[in-house]
Amino acid sequence: DVKVTQSSRYLVKRTGEKVFLECVQDMDHENMFWYRQDPGLGLRLIYFSYDVKMKEKGDIPEGYSVSREKKERFSLILESASTNQTSMYLCASKPSGRVFYEQFFGPGTRLTVL
Amino acid sequence: KQEVTQIPAALSVPEGENLVLNCSFTDSAIYNLQWFRQDPGKGLTSLLLIQSSQREQTSGRLNASLDKSSGRSTLYIAASQPGDSATYLCAIPKGAAGNKLTFGGGTRVLVKP
């Protein structure tokens, strides 16, 4: 079974802090994704990566950056956390090469910025 | 621009009743459609992926249909159980490689014992 893990289930940070959210997948997938989920707004794509050191902006990249130094690990970075970044963050992975494959999601990280 | 809609936003049924969940989309040129389940405070679990060339996909008590011409997919859950209570989301790939997903808003289901 595909396994996508996220470093924390719950995280509380203060405004202005630098925050790292880590995601690891164990299925050698080329593509990895970061989403945020908010009530009434649904799931929105922040960034995705289609290969090591490669990234592409999603629908809401402002205030975020990402890092993919190894194939299995994809990090989301909040350079200076703000209260409007309080949200549920979800990581996903997917094989490359064909559009027919499904995305597999991690358990999510609930981030609160005070 | 693809828009994905799920109506109703919430649904409550007695245990044993069949569940019918709807997903509508505006652009029929899709690669596939994926159905997910999300329990409160948790991540998404993939339920079914139905390819654009398929009309149905089945897994246990779950059956997903796809009608591209009318822009609709339906997820049927037979003989619902309290454990089926969750939010169900549909999603459609977008972009040249189909890596990005456009999600519907979800239908929150409560199955009463």
Side-chain angles (χ1 to χ4, degrees), chain A residues 22 28 31 43 45 50 54 71 73 78 84 91 105:
Chain A
E22 305 285 339
D28 204 35
N31 298 299
L43 274 124
L45 181 66
Y50 48 92
M54 306 304 286
K71 192 174 187 179
R73 188 179 298 270
L78 287 65
N84 63 12
C91 175
F105 281 77

Side-chain angles (χ1 to χ4, degrees), chain A residues 92-110:
Chain A
S93 74
K94 175 183 169 287
S96 188
R98 299 179 69 187
V99 71
F100 306 111
Y101 294 117
E102 57 197 293
Q103 286 195 20
F104 296 90
F105 281 77
T109 295
R110 169 83 57 191

